[in-house]
Structures are given as structure tokens and as C-alpha cells.
Amino acid sequence: MSDEPRTRLFGRNRDRTRAPAAGSPGARVPGALGQLAVVLRTPARATQPLLGQAPKRWQRTLPYVVVGIFVVTLLPVTIAVLSNDYGVDGGWAGALGVAQTVPLLLAVVRPLPAWGLVLGANLVGAVLLIGADEVAGHAWPWPPMTIVGYLLLMACLGLRESIRNLVGVWLVTGGLGAVLGFSQPAGVMNSAALLFVLSGVMLVLTGALRGLGDAQQRIAEQESISEAERARRTLLEERARIARELHDVVAHHMSVITVQADSAPYRLPGMPGPVQEEFAAIAASARESLGEMRRLLTVLRGDGANGGAEGERAPQPGIDRLQQLVEATVRAGQPVELSLAAGAAGAAPPAVDLSAYRIVQEALANVVRHAPGARTRVSVTVDEDEVLVLVVNGPARDAVVALESSGTGHGLVGMRERVRLTGGTLDTGSLPDGGFRVAARLPLNAPSEPAHQKEEGN
């Protein structure tokens, strides 16, 4: 059973650190920053904009707002610096300003094409600045505004692109700066190395953030797959165990049919020939069925260990063995009371008889493991239509430490499978005082199709 049902099963409430109230001033800002950090680490698909998988609308809008503020700020500043400080003609300054800043808006959705447009515009600007009147004494080939916009572009790239693309972008940036260095005007401050270093730092930081998100997503996916496989393995193991036990029940009846069919000609002398042949055919079919069941049981047992095989040959327990089960549990230090209706033992069919025993066995095992010392009541009643199995335990004693705080998932899965097998119903739930209740109704005459198909998806 899962951890949550096990926690509810025996009323074990763990202390949890409460976060500050959502409306409190001290919790609002850290909570928003924490959510933003999680969103930044969440990888976006290639067709989605930056933060496109964010759960809140303001988070999905944030990249557009940030880039828009940069564009609105950088555009007039770029035009003014190029025309006033570098002496570029007003028309060229306006064209370069638009070409170097407006494509940044595309970086939210398509950062790699935006990088190509901005890099081309920056390259054209660097070439034009070679012949500018007042370029001496200023940064070249990348003016300060170009560096700011380029770093914003690197942040968008680092959060979206693969490591190979980021390395390629960084190398191309450094290579262009080195090539332009051969045409460096006199008296300028070369900013190629500065942009190369800053862009590398920005790519490493944002790329590492995105890599962390990728790793966390892969871990979450693997945990989900492992949990599904664990649940599937638990279900298959329990079904295999039930199949092995049912083999002994069905094999008994098939053996009786075989013996009766084989001995019919001797017990009923004077039987006509065709009737004797019919009984012989029945006996042959029964023996063939027994052989098939034994081969299937060999596959289900799997390991073939002698000890396990000898254990499987032991008679299967039933309601008549509940007294022994309860006595063994009491000897282990668990206070258990048994209420067994008169005539309950032997009143149920073999499959129901075995299922009732196994349900009580699993319920008592859970109490011992998770609520040691809790007073437990076991009740088994039989009427004309069904067997009612009820196991109720109180809260664990404070002085006793539970053997396990979480389970492997076998308990409730096994109970549900056995109830489903007989066409009955299973009701489990916690009690107000911290205990737990298991109630199973097992019909004496199983319907042709189980009545509780809704449990199939549990």
C-alpha cells in the first residue's frame, strides 16, 4: 500500500513545518521568488516561449515585460550614444539602434534566430564605427549598450538552448571579436574580450540553471516510472500468490472428480459401455486439467527452491485457523480479541474461506508493524449470503515505537485482490480516535462477474 494509506491506517500523524500564511507580508515576497526560481528551472519545450510552462499568468508574462523594458530603454539610449558620442549620422544611428534592440523581443520565443539578427546588426555597427568621427576614446567593437543587450540575449539562450548550441554561440562571439581586432581603429578601447568573458559567464549561469531543471525533471520522471513499476510488481506478486493458493483449492475438487469418474464402473456395476466411456473421458479431462494447473503453478513459483515448494504443499488455512492466528499474535505482545460466529468455520467455500483468513492475517500484521500495542478486535460472522470480516484497531501505545513508518504497498493491494476474486467489497478507513478499520464482505455464492469493478483502478 502507498505511504499515505499506511499513515492513515494507524493514525500516525507526523509533525509538519507550517509555512507562513499566504497573506502575511513576510511570506509573500519569498514565496513569489521561490516560485519564480522553480519556474526558471523548469525546461520549456522548443515551441513554447520562455517560462511558457509556468502555472501563473504573471510568470508567463514576465519575460515579455522584462525584455520589453530593456528594448524601450536601450533603443533611445543606443541611438543617442551612437550619434552624440561616436559621431554616427542620425539616420544610421536610428537604423542601428532598431536593428540591435528590437530583435531582442524575439528572444522570448526564438532566442537562436534573435541571436543571429542581433549579432548581424552588431557586426554591421562595428564596421560602421571604424570610420566614425569620434570613435577614438570609446569602446569598440561593442559599445556599452550593445553589451547590455547581448547579455540579455545570452540569458534567454542559456535558459532554452542545448549545451552544444551555447558553446557554439560563445565561440562565434569570441571569434568575431578576434577577427574585428585586426581592423581596430586607433585610440579605442577594445571591448571584444570583455563581451567574450561576460557572455561566457552568463551562458554558464543560465545553462547551469536550465541543466538543474532538466536533471530534476528526469529524476521526477524516473521516480514516477519506478512507482508505477513497483505498484505493478506488487499487484502481479499478489495475484501470483493467490493463483498458487487457488491451485490447491481447485486441485482438490479436480482430484475428487477424477477419482469418482475412474471408480464409477466399480461402484456402479452393470453400467453400459457408452456410459463407462463417458466417465473415462471425464477422468481423462480432469487429469489433463490437473497437469496444466501444475505446470502453471511451476511457472508462478519461479524460484524452484525446495523449501518454498514444500511450503506450498501444506494445506491452505481458513476461518478454522483464525484462533491459532490470533493466539500467535497475542504471544507476540499484541492484545487481540476474536469473535467467531458459531458455524463460521467450514460454512464458506474454499476460496472465500482462504480469503477471509488472509485478510485477517494481513490486517493483524499491519497492526503489529505500524501500531504495536494497539487493542484490536477481530470479528467474523456468517449469514445466508455472505461472510463479514471486521478488524478494528485502536491507536498505538505511546510507549511503543512502530516497527515501520511506511509500507511497501502489499497490504491493501492484497486485500483488494482477494475481495475482487470473490466478488465482494472492501471498506477501509481511519477512525476518529486514531485507529483503523478493515471491513470485508465476501459473498458465499460468488456472482459471475465481480460487483465492485470500481476498485480495479485503485
Side-chain angles (χ1 to χ4, degrees), residues 9 12 25 96 111 122 128 153 166 174-175 179 184 188 228 232 246-247 257 272 282 308 325 327 336 343 387 442:
L9 183 58
R12 297 177 52 83
L96 283 176
N122 292 344
L128 289 177
L153 188 58
L166 298 184
V179 171
Q184 177 177 329
V188 300
R232 179 176 177 272
L246 282 181
H247 166 269
I257 294 174
I282 293 174
L325 176 64
E327 291 175 355
V336 182
V387 176
L442 310 175

Side-chain angles (χ1 to χ4, degrees), residues 133-360:
D133 297 335
E134 303 177 13
V135 68
H138 294 88
W140 184 92
W142 317 124
M145 312 79 60
T146 300
I147 295 177
V148 173
Y150 202 81
L151 292 180
L152 175 65
L153 188 58
M154 294 298 100
C156 296
L157 280 168
L159 293 173
R160 288 295 300 275
E161 297 299 325
S162 63
I163 299 298
R164 183 174 61 181
N165 289 344
L166 298 184
V167 173
V169 166
W170 186 56
L171 293 178
V172 169
T173 301
L176 284 179
V179 171
L180 289 172
F182 292 104
S183 304
Q184 177 177 329
V188 300
M189 296 178 293
N190 194 305
S191 59
L194 177 63
L195 180 61
F196 183 67
V197 172
L198 292 180
S199 62
V201 172
M202 183 63 72
L203 289 176
V204 168
L205 292 177
T206 53
L209 188 63
R210 184 182 187 277
L212 177 61
D214 288 335
Q216 291 177 338
Q217 186 179 42
R218 287 193 294 268
I219 291 174
E221 292 174 353
Q222 190 61 39
E223 289 178 349
S224 177
I225 294 174
S226 299
E227 184 65 26
E229 287 296 326
R230 191 180 303 113
R232 179 176 177 272
R233 185 171 60 252
T234 298
L235 183 64
L236 292 178
E237 289 175 356
E238 189 62 29
R239 287 182 175 177
R241 180 187 177 193
I242 295 173
R244 290 193 298 267
E245 294 173 345
L246 282 181
H247 166 269
D248 296 331
V249 175
V250 178
H252 168 73
H253 296 292
M254 296 297 294
S255 299
V256 172
I257 294 174
T258 304
V259 172
Q260 288 178 335
D262 281 333
S263 62
Y266 305 98
R267 292 183 291 104
L268 304 173
M271 187 180 299
V275 177
Q276 293 184 16
E277 294 177 359
E278 187 69 24
F279 275 109
I282 293 174
S285 298
R287 280 191 293 269
E288 183 179 356
S289 299
L290 281 173
E292 292 292 338
M293 290 182 62
R294 291 191 180 98
R295 282 191 289 272
L296 177 60
L297 180 61
T298 302
V299 175
L300 290 176
R301 282 172 176 158
D303 54 8
N306 291 332
E310 291 297 328
E312 293 293 346
R313 294 194 184 103
Q316 295 298 340
I319 296 176
D320 57 338
R321 298 273 297 276
L322 286 179
Q323 183 65 41
Q324 301 176 24
L325 176 64
V326 170
E327 291 175 355
T329 307
V330 172
R331 287 195 298 270
Q334 190 73 29
V336 182
E337 299 177 3
L338 173 63
S339 175
L340 187 61
V352 174
D353 197 38
L354 175 61
S355 296
Y357 179 88
R358 293 302 188 193
I359 290 173
V360 174

Side-chain angles (χ1 to χ4, degrees), residues 74-75 78-79 82 92-103:
L74 288 176
L75 178 58
T78 301
I79 296 175
L82 289 177
W92 282 107
L96 283 176
V98 172
Q100 291 176 347
T101 58
V102 172

